[in-house]
């Protein structure tokens, strides 16, 4: 079966403002995110991509634009199932404010029991994304062969949940996984099991350097902003 490259969108204005964007319209890449997107064609230059699938949200579309400009022959498909989690009433709110919500402890420690008010559960988020991947795996293999490589551009929580699915991890463990903006995660699928061959690879280890403020113990819902 094919190899899937999961690209998290580049750093967005919501990331730098500390907002939980969700499906809020008009969330674009910031200057660093645009630079990350511009570097993506070079990072993938040696890979023969067969298809591109993307979340419908603006920050993913902008991340892919330089890659599509560099490879005008590639077909791009939009799939709502790999769009961001529907955070409902939490969408657009500051993450710092949400830390005081009792539900945040559930999101961090027991996400399989978390459902966002006016939105969806994290279980539903993972299920729709995993179903999309399985359907695209079959389609890409049918159209391009078992050795094909294809790309999906999606969001932090979606990608983390797909990594957990590939590793056979319970969703309650997915907050232990981190993927930075514009990082590339690669999963090679086979008939019996998937293999995680890259995780959150940015080609840049800046984010591992000590920071003035130590990183939080909890995971950032929606994904953090990456290196300063």
């Amino acid at each position: 079966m094919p190899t899937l490259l999961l690209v998290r969108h580049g750093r967005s204005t919501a990331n730098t403002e500390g907002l939980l964007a969700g499906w809020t319209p008009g969330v674009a890449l910031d200057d660093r995110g645009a630079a990350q997107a511009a570097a993506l064609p070079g990072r993938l230059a040696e890979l023969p991509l067969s298809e591109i699938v993307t979340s419908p949200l603006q920050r993913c579309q902008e991340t892919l634009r330089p890659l599509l400009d560099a490879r005008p022959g590639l077909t791009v498909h939009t799939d709502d199932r790999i769009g961001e989690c529907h955070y409902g009433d939490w969408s657009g709110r500051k993450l710092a404010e949400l830390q005081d919500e009792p539900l945040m402890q559930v999101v961090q420690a027991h996400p399989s029991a978390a459902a966002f008010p006016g939105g969806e559960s994290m279980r539903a988020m993972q299920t729709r994304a995993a179903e999309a991947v399985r359907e695209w795996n079959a389609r890409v293999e049918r159209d391009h062969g078992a050795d094909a490589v294809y790309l999906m551009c999606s969001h932090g929580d979606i990608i983390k949940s797909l990594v957990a699915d590939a590793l056979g991890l319970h969703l309650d463990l997915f907050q232990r996984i981190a993927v930075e903006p514009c990082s590339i995660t690669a999963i090679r699928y086979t008939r019996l099991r998937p293999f995680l061959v890259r995780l959150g690879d940015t080609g840049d280890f800046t984010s591992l350097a000590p920071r003035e403020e130590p990183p939080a113990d909890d995971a950032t819902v929606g994904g953090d902003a990456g290196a300063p």
Side-chain angles (χ1 to χ4, degrees), residues 89-168:
D89 298 344
W90 281 23
S91 299
R93 293 182 60 186
K94 284 193 171 292
L95 286 162
E97 296 173 357
L98 292 170
Q99 296 303 320
D100 296 329
E101 296 280 354
L103 178 60
M104 183 60 84
Q105 291 182 331
V106 182
V107 170
Q108 293 293 336
H110 191 17
S112 65
F116 296 97
E120 70 179 333
S121 69
M122 302 199 91
R123 294 189 318 279
M125 173 199 75
Q126 183 187 44
T127 297
R128 63 172 164 87
E131 287 179 349
V133 166
R134 282 161 175 75
E135 290 181 20
W136 279 103
N137 281 347
R139 177 172 173 174
V140 169
E141 181 173 10
R142 180 197 68 202
D143 294 344
H144 302 282
D147 294 328
V149 178
Y150 76 108
L151 181 150
M152 282 186 170
C153 187
S154 188
H155 307 266
D157 280 350
I158 296 288
I159 293 172
K160 287 161 56 179
S161 74
L162 289 171
V163 170
D165 175 76
L167 292 175

Side-chain angles (χ1 to χ4, degrees), residues 51-114:
E51 303 270 2
I52 291 183
V53 187
T54 182
S55 157
L57 295 174
Q58 178 179 338
R59 51 199 183 273
C60 287
Q61 306 275 344
E62 290 181 357
T63 298
L64 288 177
R65 192 167 297 147
L67 179 61
L68 294 172
D69 288 344
R71 302 197 193 192
L74 271 177
T75 302
V76 60
H77 311 271
T78 300
D79 194 326
D80 287 359
R81 294 174 297 175
I82 62 167
E84 181 63 285
C85 184
H86 291 277
Y87 296 116
D89 298 344
W90 281 23
S91 299
R93 293 182 60 186
K94 284 193 171 292
L95 286 162
E97 296 173 357
L98 292 170
Q99 296 303 320
D100 296 329
E101 296 280 354
L103 178 60
M104 183 60 84
Q105 291 182 331
V106 182
V107 170
Q108 293 293 336
H110 191 17
S112 65

